[in-house]
Amino acid sequence: MLKVNGINVFYGDLQVLWDVSFEVKEKEILVLVGANGAGKSTTLKTISSLLTPTSGTIEFNGVRLDRLPPNKIIEQGIVHVPEGRRLFPDMSIEENLIMGSLFGESKSKRDETMEYAYALFPRLKERRKQMAGTLSGGEQQMLAVGRGLMS
């Protein structure tokens, strides 16, 4: 399903990932654990194509991701839900969810996917017209995950 093979990543002249490799098979869960600065977020940003490895490969279901721009990564079904939620606070829950489904197949499946997100997080459906910035921290995290699922 997801194969990361020997990626090396730099921030400018500073190398921050060295020969990182792992594989996640279907229905398998992988956890990245480590201290601050160990490279967890950098690894995820590289998979999402927010950073580019200088060497190595990343594949998802046989498709090379390390050569694709971020919008094409999303089309493959990989979404980065950043920490800190990063919602649109002055938009409603529903509007935030819609922002996750603006392009391609996600737009055509918007209603179906929104119902799925609401089924996972019923609290969001109850309050779908409420401004995102007025939600509790946990509710905001639900919305961030829901928006990611919309993609």
Side-chain angles (χ1 to χ4, degrees), residues 16-151:
V16 291
L17 293 182
W18 289 264
D19 197 34
V20 172
S21 298
F22 59 87
E23 183 174 349
V24 183
K25 297 177 181 158
E26 190 170 353
K27 297 185 182 180
E28 192 172 56
I29 296 173
L30 174 80
V31 179
L32 295 177
V33 178
N36 289 345
K40 302 176 299 293
S41 294
T42 298
T43 300
L44 295 175
K45 288 177 184 177
T46 305
I47 293 168
S48 298
S49 198
L50 300 174
L51 296 172
T52 304
T54 57
S55 59
T57 60
I58 302 169
E59 292 183 20
F60 182 66
N61 290 333
V63 176
R64 283 279 300 265
L65 300 183
D66 51 282
R67 297 178 176 169
L68 298 177
N71 64 307
K72 297 296 181 186
I73 302 290
I74 292 169
E75 290 176 10
Q76 296 300 314
I78 294 181
V79 179
H80 191 119
V81 178
E83 72 183 305
R85 300 176 293 272
R86 303 212 181 131
L87 301 172
F88 299 98
D90 296 326
M91 294 172 70
S92 70
I93 289 170
E94 191 166 348
E95 289 167 332
N96 268 270
L97 290 174
I98 289 169
M99 292 299 289
S101 63
L102 293 178
F103 302 103
E105 192 175 347
S106 65
K107 186 175 183 179
S108 66
K109 292 186 174 186
R110 178 181 293 154
D111 292 340
E112 175 185 338
T113 310
M114 190 173 295
E115 284 308 312
Y116 176 68
Y118 285 150
L120 286 174
F121 305 113
R123 186 78 170 142
L124 297 181
K125 186 172 186 175
E126 293 169 11
R127 301 167 76 187
R128 65 182 174 269
K129 299 299 179 190
Q130 184 173 331
M131 296 298 109
T134 65
L135 299 171
S136 71
E139 292 165 337
Q140 287 184 15
Q141 192 62 49
M142 288 179 211
L143 180 53
V145 171
R147 187 180 61 198
L149 290 171
M150 294 295 293
S151 297

